[in-house]
Amino acid sequence: MNSRTVCSIAIAFFLSISALPAWAIDNSIPAVNGHLSRALLGDGTGTVIGIVDSGVDATHPALAGLDNLGNPRLVAEANFVPGEGPSADDVFGHGTWVASAALSSDVTFTGMATDARFVNARVLSNTGGFNSDVQVRNGVGFAIDQGADVVNLSLNFFSAVNGGSTQLELMLDWAAFHRGISFTASAGNISTSLGGTIQEVRGPASGFNGITVGRTTADFTKVHTDSANAFTADGRMKPDVVAPGSLLTLANDDWEGAAPDWESTAAPGITLNGTSFAAPIVAGLMAQQIDAGRTHGLSTSPLVVKATIMNSSQKLLDKQNNPWTPGLPGSASDVGGVYTVTQSLDTHSGAGLIDGLALATQYLAGEMTPGLVDAIGWDLNTIGPSQFIDYVIDPNLIVGSTLTATLTWFRHVGRTDRSLGSSAPNGIIDEYDTFFVQPTLSDLDLQILMNGTLIAESTSNIDNLEHLNIGLDKTAAYTLRVLGLNVTGGNEQFALAWYGTAVPEPTTFLLLFLATVGAFSLGARR
């Protein structure tokens, strides 16, 4: 490696970071380093986010205009609420709030992906509800047909009655599996609306192939008590991650009148809190990542997006101020020196709080093939029945390091295209289509070996996700192993992301990151 080249790149990035303005959605974006990831990954140019919500006021200055390529930021819009058409304008406010968290280009209240475009699919009524998921499915289908790379759903069914089996959730899983579309879903708010009696996430947050998002408190140190958590009706751990969602300032859909352009919890009668606003922050981060992937020729598969975002998340306190802990009591054990988890995520925060800078480090490290790999990286690969694939971290990780790894694969979902009153296809994705699970979910396991000996494993048999986060008490050679215990349909595609490093001081961390970016620009290890 040419050290002079790396130094030049590092200086250029350092100067660009130092010159950044004070971007914020009420301080939440900087709290998760979204302003830094925007500079390093991109601002979402060329990507499209589907806002499936109560409509969007697309004339708001923070959302209107052209992107950096000269295209209108609004790609398309339509209203799918029965009896309230045809305008897709936001008359409730929620959709505009959500859109601004993901997309705002305002210099003060700046969203994650400031140059991303969006599809406005109005599916919530003028009171913010939906009587049937039919209109939601039509909105999702419209966003997909209009070219969305990411779809955000900041809405939930009223109760937790399914395990990812509704047609809406099957549609979303199909879109990820067959169309390569990433999606976010809000976990739901439990204490305010339901008296805290229901702890499970609610559909569509119990889907398999997207990212379910909970929210933190306003100081970003712990999970908020109103954030739905624990598990799905079929026992899988949710949420996947958490993001800021409390005491926010977001775009006002009534900005054209006497009302201010921005609303916040400080405004009379306005309460901008909820997992609804945490989810689009993650959707905007996805758009940043997809922008970087297309720029650098990296995979933008939903598997890679999910694995890297989850694996780069930071552990934080739960609702009761307890440290991050995987699973429910009894789901983790240590027998014969092997640490085993059957429920690998924390019941409140999933993999933790998203971190844009750590994601940039993780993703820009580049794809690495099995064999000898760097301490930070990822791979998109396939595995067959009864096979195993090893990733040997070189050089050895030192004592005091933390090794985090995330493995994910798809639930396979099929689709039958139908039209109204007929089995004939109509060529669009809508309420008349039928979505169905194809083969039985493959069962993959994730293991960590030290000097060739098994020391930790994640072994859920009901989920399409495995996650390990362990402190290392010895300097040694560590290996990540993916096991294909039960692979359906011949071979199973998977994404594996890993992050093995001691936690340095902030300045050291930044220099390490910049060196990583410089190394990537010269070619990732393969």
Side-chain angles (χ1 to χ4, degrees), residues 264-325:
S264 72
T265 50
I270 299 296
T271 303
L272 301 186
N273 299 290
T275 60
S276 281
F277 312 122
I281 288 177
V282 178
L285 186 61
M286 288 176 168
Q288 290 183 8
Q289 184 173 3
I290 292 169
D291 182 0
R294 290 172 177 168
T295 298
H296 296 295
L298 300 173
S299 173
T300 58
S301 164
L303 292 176
V304 174
V305 171
K306 183 174 183 176
T308 52
I309 287 179
M310 292 185 66
N311 202 66
S312 58
S313 295
Q314 305 303 307
K315 309 312 181 192
L316 80 167
L317 300 175
D318 71 9
K319 298 176 183 181
Q320 285 80 45
N321 294 310
N322 298 313
W324 187 93
T325 306

Tab-separated table of all heavy atoms in Angstrom, residues 264-325:
chain	number	residue	atom	x	y	z
A	264	SER	N	-42.558	21.108	16.642
A	264	SER	CA	-41.756	20.399	17.626
A	264	SER	C	-42.583	20.185	18.884
A	264	SER	O	-43.717	20.660	18.995
A	264	SER	CB	-40.488	21.187	17.978
A	264	SER	OG	-40.826	22.321	18.749
A	265	THR	N	-42.002	19.459	19.822
A	265	THR	CA	-42.693	19.232	21.090
A	265	THR	C	-42.863	20.520	21.865
A	265	THR	O	-43.641	20.589	22.801
A	265	THR	CB	-41.906	18.231	21.950
A	265	THR	OG1	-40.546	18.655	22.015
A	265	THR	CG2	-41.975	16.848	21.357
A	266	ALA	N	-42.135	21.563	21.478
A	266	ALA	CA	-42.272	22.851	22.153
A	266	ALA	C	-43.513	23.605	21.684
A	266	ALA	O	-43.972	24.532	22.340
A	266	ALA	CB	-41.043	23.716	21.900
A	267	ALA	N	-44.069	23.191	20.536
A	267	ALA	CA	-45.243	23.868	20.012
A	267	ALA	C	-46.499	23.392	20.742
A	267	ALA	O	-46.608	22.215	21.090
A	267	ALA	CB	-45.375	23.592	18.523
A	268	PRO	N	-47.464	24.264	21.001
A	268	PRO	CA	-48.686	23.871	21.718
A	268	PRO	C	-49.433	22.757	20.989
A	268	PRO	O	-49.694	22.837	19.793
A	268	PRO	CB	-49.505	25.169	21.727
A	268	PRO	CG	-48.517	26.259	21.543
A	268	PRO	CD	-47.442	25.692	20.671
A	269	GLY	N	-49.748	21.689	21.719
A	269	GLY	CA	-50.533	20.596	21.160
A	269	GLY	C	-49.790	19.667	20.236
A	269	GLY	O	-50.385	18.750	19.681
A	270	ILE	N	-48.505	19.873	20.043
A	270	ILE	CA	-47.734	19.048	19.117
A	270	ILE	C	-46.837	18.107	19.916
A	270	ILE	O	-46.092	18.535	20.790
A	270	ILE	CB	-46.872	19.910	18.185
A	270	ILE	CG1	-47.771	20.829	17.342
A	270	ILE	CG2	-46.009	19.048	17.295
A	270	ILE	CD1	-48.695	20.089	16.398
A	271	THR	N	-46.938	16.820	19.626
A	271	THR	CA	-46.078	15.827	20.272
A	271	THR	C	-45.392	15.015	19.185
A	271	THR	O	-46.007	14.131	18.593
A	271	THR	CB	-46.883	14.905	21.197
A	271	THR	OG1	-47.565	15.688	22.159
A	271	THR	CG2	-45.960	13.927	21.915
A	272	LEU	N	-44.154	15.335	18.905
A	272	LEU	CA	-43.412	14.632	17.867
A	272	LEU	C	-42.466	13.630	18.515
A	272	LEU	O	-41.270	13.847	18.643
A	272	LEU	CB	-42.670	15.630	16.976
A	272	LEU	CG	-43.567	16.648	16.273
A	272	LEU	CD1	-42.764	17.493	15.303
A	272	LEU	CD2	-44.717	15.980	15.561
A	273	ASN	N	-43.070	12.548	18.971
A	273	ASN	CA	-42.342	11.451	19.590
A	273	ASN	C	-42.867	10.151	19.001
A	273	ASN	O	-44.055	10.037	18.709
A	273	ASN	CB	-42.574	11.405	21.105
A	273	ASN	CG	-42.104	12.651	21.814
A	273	ASN	OD1	-40.914	12.894	21.923
A	273	ASN	ND2	-43.043	13.456	22.290
A	274	GLY	N	-42.010	9.168	18.843
A	274	GLY	CA	-42.484	7.860	18.429
A	274	GLY	C	-41.520	7.130	17.532
A	274	GLY	O	-40.616	7.720	16.929
A	275	THR	N	-41.739	5.818	17.455
A	275	THR	CA	-40.933	5.005	16.550
A	275	THR	C	-41.203	5.368	15.094
A	275	THR	O	-40.401	5.059	14.217
A	275	THR	CB	-41.198	3.507	16.772
A	275	THR	OG1	-42.588	3.222	16.541
A	275	THR	CG2	-40.841	3.088	18.195
A	276	SER	N	-42.328	6.068	14.840
A	276	SER	CA	-42.619	6.554	13.482
A	276	SER	C	-41.498	7.406	12.931
A	276	SER	O	-41.259	7.426	11.710
A	276	SER	CB	-43.902	7.387	13.472
A	276	SER	OG	-45.040	6.582	13.492
A	277	PHE	N	-40.802	8.125	13.796
A	277	PHE	CA	-39.785	9.061	13.336
A	277	PHE	C	-38.381	8.465	13.454
A	277	PHE	O	-37.432	8.988	12.856
A	277	PHE	CB	-39.909	10.374	14.105
A	277	PHE	CG	-41.337	10.851	14.141
A	277	PHE	CD1	-41.993	11.068	15.340
A	277	PHE	CD2	-42.056	11.023	12.963
A	277	PHE	CE1	-43.320	11.462	15.365
A	277	PHE	CE2	-43.383	11.414	12.978
A	277	PHE	CZ	-44.021	11.648	14.185
A	278	ALA	N	-38.256	7.390	14.206
A	278	ALA	CA	-36.984	6.667	14.244
A	278	ALA	C	-36.776	5.878	12.954
A	278	ALA	O	-35.667	5.828	12.407
A	278	ALA	CB	-36.956	5.728	15.451
A	279	ALA	N	-37.854	5.276	12.440
A	279	ALA	CA	-37.735	4.451	11.238
A	279	ALA	C	-37.212	5.225	10.033
A	279	ALA	O	-36.312	4.745	9.329
A	279	ALA	CB	-39.078	3.790	10.919
A	280	PRO	N	-37.728	6.434	9.717
A	280	PRO	CA	-37.199	7.133	8.534
A	280	PRO	C	-35.764	7.613	8.687
A	280	PRO	O	-35.081	7.837	7.680
A	280	PRO	CB	-38.168	8.311	8.372
A	280	PRO	CG	-38.783	8.513	9.706
A	280	PRO	CD	-38.890	7.130	10.285
A	281	ILE	N	-35.291	7.790	9.923
A	281	ILE	CA	-33.871	8.098	10.099
A	281	ILE	C	-33.032	6.930	9.598
A	281	ILE	O	-32.014	7.104	8.920
A	281	ILE	CB	-33.567	8.443	11.571
A	281	ILE	CG1	-34.159	9.818	11.909
A	281	ILE	CG2	-32.067	8.429	11.850
A	281	ILE	CD1	-33.993	10.235	13.350
A	282	VAL	N	-33.486	5.707	9.875
A	282	VAL	CA	-32.790	4.523	9.362
A	282	VAL	C	-32.975	4.411	7.848
A	282	VAL	O	-32.035	4.061	7.123
A	282	VAL	CB	-33.286	3.250	10.068
A	282	VAL	CG1	-32.592	2.011	9.502
A	282	VAL	CG2	-33.035	3.346	11.575
A	283	ALA	N	-34.170	4.744	7.348
A	283	ALA	CA	-34.389	4.713	5.902
A	283	ALA	C	-33.448	5.676	5.195
A	283	ALA	O	-32.897	5.365	4.122
A	283	ALA	CB	-35.842	5.059	5.591
A	284	GLY	N	-33.239	6.861	5.767
A	284	GLY	CA	-32.300	7.814	5.191
A	284	GLY	C	-30.874	7.316	5.226
A	284	GLY	O	-30.089	7.542	4.293
A	285	LEU	N	-30.516	6.610	6.304
A	285	LEU	CA	-29.181	6.016	6.387
A	285	LEU	C	-29.003	4.958	5.307
A	285	LEU	O	-27.928	4.843	4.698
A	285	LEU	CB	-28.968	5.420	7.780
A	285	LEU	CG	-27.577	4.875	8.094
A	285	LEU	CD1	-26.514	5.966	7.997
A	285	LEU	CD2	-27.550	4.240	9.489
A	286	MET	N	-30.051	4.184	5.051
A	286	MET	CA	-30.005	3.209	3.956
A	286	MET	C	-29.750	3.902	2.621
A	286	MET	O	-28.970	3.414	1.788
A	286	MET	CB	-31.325	2.441	3.879
A	286	MET	CG	-31.566	1.448	4.986
A	286	MET	SD	-33.223	0.724	4.819
A	286	MET	CE	-33.121	-0.646	5.977
A	287	ALA	N	-30.410	5.051	2.403
A	287	ALA	CA	-30.213	5.779	1.149
A	287	ALA	C	-28.780	6.268	1.019
A	287	ALA	O	-28.188	6.221	-0.074
A	287	ALA	CB	-31.194	6.948	1.074
A	288	GLN	N	-28.189	6.750	2.111
A	288	GLN	CA	-26.769	7.118	2.090
A	288	GLN	C	-25.920	5.928	1.656
A	288	GLN	O	-25.020	6.050	0.814
A	288	GLN	CB	-26.316	7.564	3.479
A	288	GLN	CG	-26.848	8.883	3.975
A	288	GLN	CD	-26.245	9.229	5.341
A	288	GLN	OE1	-25.329	8.556	5.822
A	288	GLN	NE2	-26.747	10.286	5.960
A	289	GLN	N	-26.197	4.779	2.252
A	289	GLN	CA	-25.397	3.587	1.988
A	289	GLN	C	-25.552	3.129	0.539
A	289	GLN	O	-24.563	2.741	-0.107
A	289	GLN	CB	-25.803	2.469	2.952
A	289	GLN	CG	-24.967	1.205	2.818
A	289	GLN	CD	-25.288	0.187	3.889
A	289	GLN	OE1	-26.177	0.383	4.712
A	289	GLN	NE2	-24.565	-0.912	3.895
A	290	ILE	N	-26.759	3.166	0.026
A	290	ILE	CA	-26.983	2.759	-1.363
A	290	ILE	C	-26.283	3.719	-2.312
A	290	ILE	O	-25.719	3.307	-3.339
A	290	ILE	CB	-28.498	2.667	-1.635
A	290	ILE	CG1	-29.097	1.493	-0.838
A	290	ILE	CG2	-28.778	2.491	-3.127
A	290	ILE	CD1	-30.606	1.462	-0.830
A	291	ASP	N	-26.297	5.006	-1.990
A	291	ASP	CA	-25.551	5.998	-2.765
A	291	ASP	C	-24.069	5.608	-2.824
A	291	ASP	O	-23.453	5.569	-3.900
A	291	ASP	CB	-25.737	7.365	-2.113
A	291	ASP	CG	-25.033	8.508	-2.858
A	291	ASP	OD1	-24.394	8.262	-3.896
A	291	ASP	OD2	-25.123	9.656	-2.371
A	292	ALA	N	-23.489	5.285	-1.666
A	292	ALA	CA	-22.072	4.895	-1.617
A	292	ALA	C	-21.828	3.600	-2.376
A	292	ALA	O	-20.818	3.464	-3.079
A	292	ALA	CB	-21.626	4.746	-0.166
A	293	GLY	N	-22.747	2.655	-2.236
A	293	GLY	CA	-22.579	1.376	-2.921
A	293	GLY	C	-22.526	1.531	-4.431
A	293	GLY	O	-21.690	0.922	-5.113
A	294	ARG	N	-23.406	2.361	-4.954
A	294	ARG	CA	-23.414	2.583	-6.403
A	294	ARG	C	-22.190	3.363	-6.852
A	294	ARG	O	-21.652	3.115	-7.938
A	294	ARG	CB	-24.700	3.308	-6.789
A	294	ARG	CG	-25.933	2.421	-6.643
A	294	ARG	CD	-27.228	3.184	-6.828
A	294	ARG	NE	-28.373	2.271	-6.756
A	294	ARG	CZ	-29.638	2.667	-6.663
A	294	ARG	NH1	-29.929	3.965	-6.622
A	294	ARG	NH2	-30.609	1.772	-6.598
A	295	THR	N	-21.725	4.270	-6.023
A	295	THR	CA	-20.533	5.052	-6.366
A	295	THR	C	-19.286	4.176	-6.402
A	295	THR	O	-18.438	4.315	-7.287
A	295	THR	CB	-20.338	6.191	-5.349
A	295	THR	OG1	-21.474	7.070	-5.395
A	295	THR	CG2	-19.080	6.982	-5.642
A	296	HIS	N	-19.177	3.255	-5.448
A	296	HIS	CA	-17.957	2.458	-5.293
A	296	HIS	C	-18.080	1.033	-5.836
A	296	HIS	O	-17.145	0.237	-5.686
A	296	HIS	CB	-17.565	2.387	-3.819
A	296	HIS	CG	-17.192	3.710	-3.223
A	296	HIS	ND1	-16.094	4.426	-3.620
A	296	HIS	CD2	-17.799	4.463	-2.257
A	296	HIS	CE1	-16.016	5.553	-2.929
A	296	HIS	NE2	-17.045	5.602	-2.101
A	297	GLY	N	-19.211	0.692	-6.441
A	297	GLY	CA	-19.368	-0.639	-6.999
A	297	GLY	C	-19.523	-1.726	-5.956
A	297	GLY	O	-19.102	-2.873	-6.168
A	298	LEU	N	-20.150	-1.392	-4.815
A	298	LEU	CA	-20.383	-2.357	-3.749
A	298	LEU	C	-21.815	-2.877	-3.814
A	298	LEU	O	-22.713	-2.189	-4.322
A	298	LEU	CB	-20.144	-1.707	-2.384
A	298	LEU	CG	-18.749	-1.161	-2.120
A	298	LEU	CD1	-18.718	-0.399	-0.799
A	298	LEU	CD2	-17.727	-2.286	-2.112
A	299	SER	N	-22.031	-4.047	-3.288
A	299	SER	CA	-23.381	-4.606	-3.279
A	299	SER	C	-24.320	-3.737	-2.447
A	299	SER	O	-23.962	-3.268	-1.367
A	299	SER	CB	-23.374	-6.022	-2.692
A	299	SER	OG	-24.707	-6.502	-2.530
A	300	THR	N	-25.530	-3.529	-2.975
A	300	THR	CA	-26.576	-2.843	-2.221
A	300	THR	C	-27.720	-3.793	-1.897
A	300	THR	O	-28.848	-3.363	-1.659
A	300	THR	CB	-27.101	-1.626	-3.009
A	300	THR	OG1	-27.610	-2.058	-4.281
A	300	THR	CG2	-26.000	-0.604	-3.224
A	301	SER	N	-27.437	-5.074	-1.884
A	301	SER	CA	-28.446	-6.069	-1.513
A	301	SER	C	-29.028	-5.742	-0.148
A	301	SER	O	-28.298	-5.328	0.760
A	301	SER	CB	-27.815	-7.465	-1.463
A	301	SER	OG	-28.651	-8.375	-0.760
A	302	PRO	N	-30.340	-5.912	0.040
A	302	PRO	CA	-30.921	-5.723	1.371
A	302	PRO	C	-30.243	-6.559	2.449
A	302	PRO	O	-30.238	-6.167	3.618
A	302	PRO	CB	-32.386	-6.149	1.183
A	302	PRO	CG	-32.660	-5.921	-0.258
A	302	PRO	CD	-31.374	-6.248	-0.964
A	303	LEU	N	-29.659	-7.696	2.068
A	303	LEU	CA	-28.930	-8.509	3.038
A	303	LEU	C	-27.703	-7.761	3.549
A	303	LEU	O	-27.433	-7.730	4.759
A	303	LEU	CB	-28.509	-9.840	2.415
A	303	LEU	CG	-29.615	-10.835	2.075
A	303	LEU	CD1	-29.018	-12.059	1.386
A	303	LEU	CD2	-30.390	-11.246	3.319
A	304	VAL	N	-26.954	-7.161	2.640
A	304	VAL	CA	-25.751	-6.413	3.028
A	304	VAL	C	-26.137	-5.178	3.825
A	304	VAL	O	-25.513	-4.848	4.849
A	304	VAL	CB	-24.921	-6.038	1.788
A	304	VAL	CG1	-23.756	-5.134	2.170
A	304	VAL	CG2	-24.425	-7.291	1.081
A	305	VAL	N	-27.161	-4.454	3.362
A	305	VAL	CA	-27.615	-3.255	4.065
A	305	VAL	C	-28.014	-3.599	5.493
A	305	VAL	O	-27.610	-2.930	6.460
A	305	VAL	CB	-28.786	-2.604	3.303
A	305	VAL	CG1	-29.420	-1.488	4.129
A	305	VAL	CG2	-28.304	-2.052	1.959
A	306	LYS	N	-28.790	-4.651	5.667
A	306	LYS	CA	-29.257	-5.033	7.005
A	306	LYS	C	-28.102	-5.483	7.891
A	306	LYS	O	-27.981	-5.049	9.045
A	306	LYS	CB	-30.305	-6.134	6.898
A	306	LYS	CG	-30.904	-6.557	8.229
A	306	LYS	CD	-32.042	-7.547	8.040
A	306	LYS	CE	-32.683	-7.920	9.367
A	306	LYS	NZ	-33.861	-8.816	9.185
A	307	ALA	N	-27.250	-6.358	7.360
A	307	ALA	CA	-26.158	-6.900	8.174
A	307	ALA	C	-25.207	-5.803	8.624
A	307	ALA	O	-24.773	-5.777	9.786
A	307	ALA	CB	-25.400	-7.976	7.395
A	308	THR	N	-24.865	-4.874	7.730
A	308	THR	CA	-23.886	-3.845	8.088
A	308	THR	C	-24.479	-2.786	9.015
A	308	THR	O	-23.799	-2.307	9.929
A	308	THR	CB	-23.303	-3.183	6.831
A	308	THR	OG1	-24.369	-2.741	5.978
A	308	THR	CG2	-22.419	-4.150	6.062
A	309	ILE	N	-25.729	-2.398	8.796
A	309	ILE	CA	-26.348	-1.423	9.702
A	309	ILE	C	-26.488	-2.007	11.098
A	309	ILE	O	-26.175	-1.346	12.107
A	309	ILE	CB	-27.715	-0.960	9.158
A	309	ILE	CG1	-27.509	-0.021	7.966
A	309	ILE	CG2	-28.529	-0.249	10.241
A	309	ILE	CD1	-28.792	0.477	7.323
A	310	MET	N	-26.936	-3.231	11.191
A	310	MET	CA	-27.079	-3.848	12.513
A	310	MET	C	-25.728	-4.061	13.176
A	310	MET	O	-25.555	-3.804	14.369
A	310	MET	CB	-27.833	-5.180	12.395
A	310	MET	CG	-29.291	-5.034	12.008
A	310	MET	SD	-30.185	-6.608	12.015
A	310	MET	CE	-30.157	-7.024	13.766
A	311	ASN	N	-24.749	-4.517	12.403
A	311	ASN	CA	-23.471	-4.867	13.015
A	311	ASN	C	-22.683	-3.647	13.465
A	311	ASN	O	-21.858	-3.736	14.381
A	311	ASN	CB	-22.624	-5.679	12.035
A	311	ASN	CG	-21.583	-6.510	12.743
A	311	ASN	OD1	-21.928	-7.437	13.480
A	311	ASN	ND2	-20.319	-6.188	12.569
A	312	SER	N	-22.948	-2.497	12.844
A	312	SER	CA	-22.241	-1.276	13.227
A	312	SER	C	-22.977	-0.487	14.306
A	312	SER	O	-22.510	0.572	14.727
A	312	SER	CB	-22.034	-0.389	11.996
A	312	SER	OG	-23.269	-0.065	11.385
A	313	SER	N	-24.120	-0.977	14.760
A	313	SER	CA	-24.870	-0.291	15.812
A	313	SER	C	-24.166	-0.426	17.154
A	313	SER	O	-23.447	-1.404	17.404
A	313	SER	CB	-26.285	-0.863	15.903
A	313	SER	OG	-27.019	-0.593	14.721
A	314	GLN	N	-24.395	0.570	18.001
A	314	GLN	CA	-23.705	0.625	19.288
A	314	GLN	C	-24.627	0.163	20.413
A	314	GLN	O	-25.807	0.515	20.441
A	314	GLN	CB	-23.229	2.059	19.563
A	314	GLN	CG	-22.366	2.632	18.445
A	314	GLN	CD	-21.144	1.782	18.139
A	314	GLN	OE1	-20.371	1.448	19.037
A	314	GLN	NE2	-20.945	1.434	16.878
A	315	LYS	N	-24.085	-0.603	21.331
A	315	LYS	CA	-24.877	-1.125	22.447
A	315	LYS	C	-25.241	0.014	23.405
A	315	LYS	O	-24.430	0.903	23.655
A	315	LYS	CB	-24.107	-2.216	23.192
A	315	LYS	CG	-23.540	-3.318	22.298
A	315	LYS	CD	-24.542	-3.870	21.298
A	315	LYS	CE	-23.954	-4.987	20.439
A	315	LYS	NZ	-24.798	-5.340	19.298
A	316	LEU	N	-26.478	-0.018	23.891
A	316	LEU	CA	-26.923	1.021	24.826
A	316	LEU	C	-27.821	0.406	25.879
A	316	LEU	O	-28.164	-0.785	25.823
A	316	LEU	CB	-27.643	2.153	24.092
A	316	LEU	CG	-29.105	1.982	23.675
A	316	LEU	CD1	-29.697	3.325	23.272
A	316	LEU	CD2	-29.272	0.970	22.558
A	317	LEU	N	-28.241	1.223	26.861
A	317	LEU	CA	-29.037	0.739	27.977
A	317	LEU	C	-30.467	0.443	27.545
A	317	LEU	O	-31.001	1.068	26.628
A	317	LEU	CB	-29.047	1.785	29.101
A	317	LEU	CG	-27.699	2.167	29.695
A	317	LEU	CD1	-27.872	3.298	30.708
A	317	LEU	CD2	-27.024	0.961	30.339
A	318	ASP	N	-31.088	-0.511	28.249
A	318	ASP	CA	-32.492	-0.797	27.963
A	318	ASP	C	-33.392	0.147	28.756
A	318	ASP	O	-32.928	1.110	29.371
A	318	ASP	CB	-32.813	-2.266	28.217
A	318	ASP	CG	-32.813	-2.649	29.696
A	318	ASP	OD1	-32.732	-1.759	30.577
A	318	ASP	OD2	-32.917	-3.853	29.989
A	319	LYS	N	-34.675	-0.118	28.776
A	319	LYS	CA	-35.634	0.785	29.413
A	319	LYS	C	-35.412	0.907	30.917
A	319	LYS	O	-35.751	1.920	31.521
A	319	LYS	CB	-37.058	0.304	29.145
A	319	LYS	CG	-37.433	0.293	27.680
A	319	LYS	CD	-38.832	-0.283	27.483
A	319	LYS	CE	-39.178	-0.366	26.011
A	319	LYS	NZ	-40.551	-0.904	25.805
A	320	GLN	N	-34.862	-0.140	31.517
A	320	GLN	CA	-34.611	-0.141	32.960
A	320	GLN	C	-33.159	0.159	33.307
A	320	GLN	O	-32.698	-0.146	34.413
A	320	GLN	CB	-35.005	-1.500	33.558
A	320	GLN	CG	-36.500	-1.717	33.698
A	320	GLN	CD	-37.164	-2.132	32.393
A	320	GLN	OE1	-36.645	-2.988	31.676
A	320	GLN	NE2	-38.298	-1.522	32.078
A	321	ASN	N	-32.425	0.733	32.371
A	321	ASN	CA	-31.010	1.100	32.569
A	321	ASN	C	-30.094	-0.097	32.700
A	321	ASN	O	-28.984	0.020	33.241
A	321	ASN	CB	-30.841	2.022	33.780
A	321	ASN	CG	-31.492	3.372	33.586
A	321	ASN	OD1	-31.278	4.037	32.568
A	321	ASN	ND2	-32.307	3.783	34.557
A	322	ASN	N	-30.523	-1.235	32.205
A	322	ASN	CA	-29.664	-2.413	32.197
A	322	ASN	C	-28.810	-2.418	30.936
A	322	ASN	O	-29.242	-1.942	29.878
A	322	ASN	CB	-30.503	-3.691	32.232
A	322	ASN	CG	-31.334	-3.788	33.493
A	322	ASN	OD1	-30.826	-3.571	34.592
A	322	ASN	ND2	-32.611	-4.099	33.348
A	323	PRO	N	-27.591	-2.954	31.012
A	323	PRO	CA	-26.737	-3.003	29.824
A	323	PRO	C	-27.294	-3.951	28.773
A	323	PRO	O	-28.118	-4.826	29.068
A	323	PRO	CB	-25.396	-3.506	30.377
A	323	PRO	CG	-25.749	-4.233	31.629
A	323	PRO	CD	-26.923	-3.517	32.208
A	324	TRP	N	-26.834	-3.769	27.538
A	324	TRP	CA	-27.256	-4.609	26.417
A	324	TRP	C	-27.031	-6.082	26.752
A	324	TRP	O	-25.940	-6.477	27.155
A	324	TRP	CB	-26.463	-4.230	25.164
A	324	TRP	CG	-26.931	-4.919	23.906
A	324	TRP	CD1	-27.837	-4.458	23.010
A	324	TRP	CD2	-26.488	-6.197	23.415
A	324	TRP	NE1	-27.993	-5.361	21.988
A	324	TRP	CE2	-27.186	-6.438	22.214
A	324	TRP	CE3	-25.591	-7.156	23.882
A	324	TRP	CZ2	-26.997	-7.600	21.454
A	324	TRP	CZ3	-25.408	-8.313	23.137
A	324	TRP	CH2	-26.095	-8.522	21.944
A	325	THR	N	-28.071	-6.898	26.582
A	325	THR	CA	-28.000	-8.326	26.880
A	325	THR	C	-28.810	-9.092	25.842
A	325	THR	O	-29.960	-8.732	25.575
A	325	THR	CB	-28.574	-8.649	28.271
A	325	THR	OG1	-27.912	-7.847	29.250
A	325	THR	CG2	-28.390	-10.119	28.611
